[in-house]
Amino acid sequence: MNVTTPHTSTAVRTFAQQLSSTRRGARLARLLAAAELRAWQVSPSVVEHAEQIVAELSANAALHGPGPGPRLPPGALPGPGGRPATDRGD
């Protein structure tokens, strides 16, 4: 018996933007991450959750970070199972 398994192609998408560790940088990180995920046609519920996570991480970096300067590079990276994951640095 010949059985074929369906092959689903998974595109690896990345987005990175260097932003300052300020309140403005935190706001931009949230807006840019949400816009990029929407452009990738990610489901609205995933975009909403990712936006909240990016907002929290970038706000923490702005509050506890070393100050103004390009030290907050948020990125939407493919995580386990192809779900979006975020990465940020101080």
Side-chain angles (χ1 to χ4, degrees):
M1 175 187 253
N2 258 348
V3 178
T4 60
T5 15
H7 177 24
T8 57
S9 66
T10 305
V12 176
R13 298 176 176 144
T14 60
F15 169 71
Q17 178 67 47
Q18 196 82 346
L19 300 170
S20 62
S21 296
T22 62
R23 288 174 38 190
R24 181 173 183 258
R27 180 177 178 269
L28 286 173
R30 178 181 56 83
L31 294 173
L32 288 170
E36 196 66 25
L37 289 171
R38 284 187 194 105
W40 293 343
Q41 299 177 345
V42 175
S43 74
S45 65
V46 172
V47 172
E48 184 180 335
H49 287 98
E51 190 175 8
Q52 290 173 353
I53 292 168
V54 170
E56 182 67 24
L57 291 174
S58 57
N60 286 346
L63 182 62
H64 303 294
R71 300 181 181 267
L72 177 62
L77 305 173
R83 293 175 296 211
T86 57
D87 182 27
R88 66 120 188 111
D90 289 334

